[in-house]
Structures are given as structure tokens and as C-alpha cells.
Amino acid sequence: MDITTLHVDAGGGYDILISPGLLDEAGKRIKAALPRAKRLFVVTDSNVSPLYGARLVASLETLSFEVHTHVLPAGETSKSAENLVALWEWMTAHGVTRTDAVVALGGGVVGDLAGFAASTVLRGVGLVQVPTTLLSQVDSSVGGKTAIDLPSGKNLAGTFYQPDLVLMDPDTLRTLPDDVFMAGMAEVVKYGCIWDAGFFDFLAARPSRASLMEDITHILRICCDIKRQVVNADERDIGLRQILNFGHTLGHAYELAGNYTKWSHGQAVAAGMVTASRLGVELGVTEPDVPEKIESVLASLGLPVHIDCDFAHIEKALGVDKKNAGDSVTLILLKRVGTVTPLKLPRAEVLDRLAGLPGR
Ligand code: GLY
């Protein structure tokens, strides 16, 4: 098997392995990364379990691991405090020890919740991420952010806890619905925007899912390589890592406007990147041809480039409602495609500019 390997230095250091068919080698790879683990706690969801659960478990059992599986209902509502407690209880009932490991098989919801459970049960056990969506392969499975949602907002409780291994089988992307695949492409395009103009052009020349899948291992490698460099430089998200939020502040406003049901995270980020680049032009930071370039690539992938949104949602996403939000905001803007530039500005000025931006 031809395996692409990237090494992340953060945490104790770990590999990201990418290869079609890797799911069937999971047991062997986990044994090598976590030689002392006896019990593996597979956390997955009701969509992914029937597709890939049995294959993963078979591969783990071949290596004589004691395997336990917990299937969550698919969807964001599973990322709850109740399910976190349920995972802790489930693992302790099965005699989890510090050298055992959690294996998160699924998308971002499963990875975030299972990661949080792994980071906290017995004050931390092993963690293997096996992401099966494009969004989780290029973003959430790498870098160690774990979280649950609270009634007051998404991802409001969590930990930084790097996995011991990330296993990506690009073949798992074949069963994704089109809109879910393309939502992941918004984050892929983001990497081109903030870091690599050549990669952006490469994506622009592949406007269909079929053409992207022909080069999917390359695409995953480029994205994970960028994310790995950013995380190595700023694991705790206090500096450089914030560039990964390009398009996300406005994206959050759009998600909010759609009550988190009308627009997926990736769709909202797509429109958010367009608005952020138009705001950058307005501020004289971004070259004038950038919004059109980004719009054209996103539209060719069927992603939204504009989302109607009440200004109140934009104000909320910019922290107007938070007492301790301070007077300034850091915008993640582009100079040109491939070159990002964070810019701290007074909040009032940003709101003024956005209020005057046609079609924001
Ligand atoms: N998803 C952004 C980050 O990992 O920092």
C-alpha cells in the first residue's frame, strides 16, 4: 500500500496517514502507534457505522484488540454534555485504562466529542482519529481541538488534545452526499486562499467532484500539510492559527441567520470568504480581482457565494453582544490569493464598513 505520511510535532508528535484502503489496515497502524493499548473504544454515528463500522472493527480484531463500539445518533445535537458523560460511563464500565484508546470513526461531530472524551476520561487516554468526511479530513481531525456544544453556543467547552494517530482513507468520501462533499471543499479552497495560490489554481481547474476525486490524495496532503505547519507554529490558537478562520466570522453570522439548519458550516464559510474578500477590497487591503476569483471557484463547486443575513447576526458574530469583547476585532483578510494578512481594527469601523457593503 502506497501511504502518504505527514508528521505533526504538536502534542507528543503524531503521523497523519493517507491512503485508499487504509481502513483495512487500521489495526496494524494503531498497534504500531499505541503498542500498549489493549482495549479500543470505537465511537461512531448512525450514518457511518453501517458503512464502515464492521470493516474497521474487523481490522482491529485481527490484531487481537478488545473492541467496544458506541454508535451516536448522526447530527450536531450529539455533541452534547449528556453524550460526553455517557461515553465516560461506557468506557469506565468496560474497564478502560490509561494506555487504552478511543478511535473516532466519522465526521467532525464524532471527532470533536470522542476527542473530548478521550482527553478527559482517566485524565486522558490514547486517541486515534479516523475521519470519514472531507471537512474532518482536511480540518477537524488534525490539530487537537475537541469540543461539545452548550445550550449557549457551539464548541463552547473543549480541550486541546492532540491525537496519537490520524488515519485517512479517501475512499470513504465516495459515500458522502454531494452537498456534504462540496461543503468540505469550502475549507479546501480556504487553504488555497490563505496559503498557496498554486493550489488555488489547481482547484480552479477541477470544477467537478469526479475531477477532484482523481487527485484526492494530493488534495488531502496539501491541506493537511498546511494545517500541520500552522498547528506546529501555534497549537493553542493564540496567533498564526487564527488565519484558519478566514471567512469564518461572517460564516458564523450566516450559520446563525439560517438557525444552523439552512446552511451547513462549509456553505456558510464559502459565502463568508467572499464577503471577507470584498470587505478587504473596501479597506484597501485586498487586490480588487480577489473576490471574483474566489466567487468563481466556489460557484463552480455549487457553493453559495452570497447569503442574505440580518445585520443583527453580523453584529453578534463580531461579538457586539459580549460585555468583554473589547473595542477591536482581528479580521482575517487576504492581500491576494495565497497571501493572508490579519488586521486589527476598531469594531465600530468594521461594522460601518460592513453596513455599507452592497450585498453583504
Ligand atoms: N478549525 C480551525 C482550527 O483547527 O484551528
Side-chain angles (χ1 to χ4, degrees), residues 5-333:
T5 306
L6 294 166
H7 187 76
V8 185
D9 298 329
Y14 58 98
D15 284 341
I16 304 167
L17 306 183
I18 310 170
S19 177
L22 195 56
L23 209 53
D24 300 313
E25 283 215 359
K28 191 168 128 191
R29 302 288 158 186
I30 293 173
K31 190 89 199 163
L34 291 163
R36 294 172 67 203
K38 279 204 188 101
R39 294 168 201 82
L40 296 179
F41 294 87
V42 176
V43 181
T44 186
D45 75 20
S46 52
N47 285 341
V48 177
S49 172
L51 293 168
Y52 304 114
R55 260 177 73 196
L56 176 69
V57 170
S59 165
L60 303 179
E61 286 180 343
T62 311
L63 272 288
S64 302
F65 287 112
E66 178 185 318
V67 183
H68 302 278
T69 304
H70 188 104
V71 182
L72 299 156
E76 184 73 27
T77 51
S78 280
K79 232 169 92 173
S80 64
E82 292 74 19
N83 279 337
L84 177 65
V85 174
L87 290 181
W88 289 335
E89 296 282 13
W90 167 65
M91 287 189 274
T92 49
H94 287 291
V96 63
T97 71
R98 299 277 303 277
T99 51
D100 293 333
V102 170
V103 180
L105 172 73
V109 168
V110 165
D112 283 6
L113 173 68
F116 196 170
S119 72
T120 42
V121 74
L122 306 183
R123 300 192 180 87
V125 301
L127 173 63
V128 179
Q129 292 281 2
V130 188
T132 57
T133 63
L134 185 54
L135 199 126
S136 60
Q137 292 189 349
V138 299
D139 186 18
S140 57
S141 66
V142 176
K145 281 188 181 176
T146 82
I148 56 168
D149 299 335
L150 300 182
S152 45
K154 281 175 72 172
N155 295 329
L156 287 185
T159 53
F160 286 99
Y161 193 71
Q162 301 295 334
D164 296 286
L165 181 66
V166 183
L167 296 175
M168 280 179 209
D169 185 338
D171 282 346
T172 60
L173 303 178
R174 295 188 190 281
T175 47
L176 289 180
D178 271 336
D179 59 332
V180 178
F181 180 86
M182 289 309 181
M185 278 305 298
E187 298 281 359
V188 173
V189 171
K190 180 194 78 181
Y191 287 110
C193 290
I194 62 170
W195 198 271
D196 185 340
F199 183 53
F200 183 90
D201 292 340
F202 175 92
L203 298 171
R206 284 160 183 77
S208 68
R209 181 170 174 173
S211 56
L212 291 161
M213 281 304 287
E214 275 176 29
D215 289 302
I216 195 67
T217 298
H218 173 73
I219 290 170
L220 296 177
R221 183 177 67 75
I222 297 283
C223 296
C224 291
D225 189 33
I226 297 169
K227 179 131 192 198
R228 148 189 107 99
Q229 291 179 62
V230 171
V231 169
N232 282 344
D234 175 26
E235 183 183 352
R236 293 277 162 159
D237 202 7
I238 49 175
L240 182 72
R241 191 162 177 170
Q242 287 167 26
I243 68 171
L244 299 176
N245 286 336
F246 175 58
H248 281 58
T249 303
L250 289 152
H252 287 149
Y254 301 146
E255 282 187 274
L256 203 60
N259 208 14
Y260 291 100
T261 48
K262 187 164 180 194
W263 306 106
S264 67
H265 176 72
Q267 289 171 323
V269 165
M273 290 193 288
V274 174
T275 309
S277 60
R278 293 175 61 225
L279 177 63
V281 174
E282 187 67 23
L283 290 163
V285 172
T286 305
E287 291 176 1
D289 61 343
V290 170
E292 209 184 303
K293 279 189 186 165
I294 297 178
E295 241 182 275
S296 154
V297 173
L298 296 173
S300 75
L301 298 170
L303 285 163
V305 295
H306 168 75
I307 290 178
D308 281 326
C309 173
D310 283 349
F311 202 65
H313 295 309
I314 292 184
E315 288 180 321
K316 189 156 192 240
L318 281 162
V320 169
D321 59 334
K322 295 201 179 73
K323 279 196 203 82
N324 59 352
D327 292 334
S328 56
V329 284
T330 301
L331 297 176
I332 307 300
L333 301 175

